[in-house]
Amino acid sequence: MLPAEELIEAMTGSSVLIGQLQFNPVKLIFDNQSDDDVVLYMSMDGGTTMIQWHTFPSAEAIVLDEDLYTFPKGMQFYGDGDGTGNFSISYCYLKE
């Protein structure tokens, strides 16, 4: 298992692209590092169709383990929050 580059973006009060998965993840950490709620959206078509997945209260983090096919390579994550700070997605993948 190898770590992938962190996906991280500052929240601006409108929807921003946090990043796109470059590999199929095995473990994921979603971390709201801002001082306000952040709504996390997912998209597989460049943001045309966005699925609201979870609203993260300030400072909430979620760890997902062994979710090989839940979030496929190429999935894009968008965040929408008014607070000051970042939203981070860290993940590991299986070496091919």
Side-chain angles (χ1 to χ4, degrees), residues 44-62:
M44 288 297 294
D45 61 7
T48 302
T49 305
M50 296 197 341
I51 300 165
Q52 182 175 334
W53 182 64
H54 184 75
T55 300
F56 287 81
S58 174
E60 181 182 55
I62 294 177

Side-chain angles (χ1 to χ4, degrees), residues 13-34:
S14 60
S15 183
V16 295
L17 176 64
I18 298 168
Q20 178 173 321
L21 296 178
Q22 301 301 309
F23 306 95
N24 290 320
V26 177
K27 299 177 188 292
L28 294 113
I29 302 170
F30 297 94
D31 186 8
N32 181 4
Q33 301 170 348
S34 77

Side-chain angles (χ1 to χ4, degrees), residues 58-80:
S58 174
E60 181 182 55
I62 294 177
V63 177
L64 299 177
D65 191 8
E66 302 299 331
D67 290 306
L68 287 169
Y69 302 106
T70 305
F71 303 99
K73 175 182 175 179
M75 178 166 279
Q76 298 164 324
F77 294 94
Y78 295 82
D80 190 346

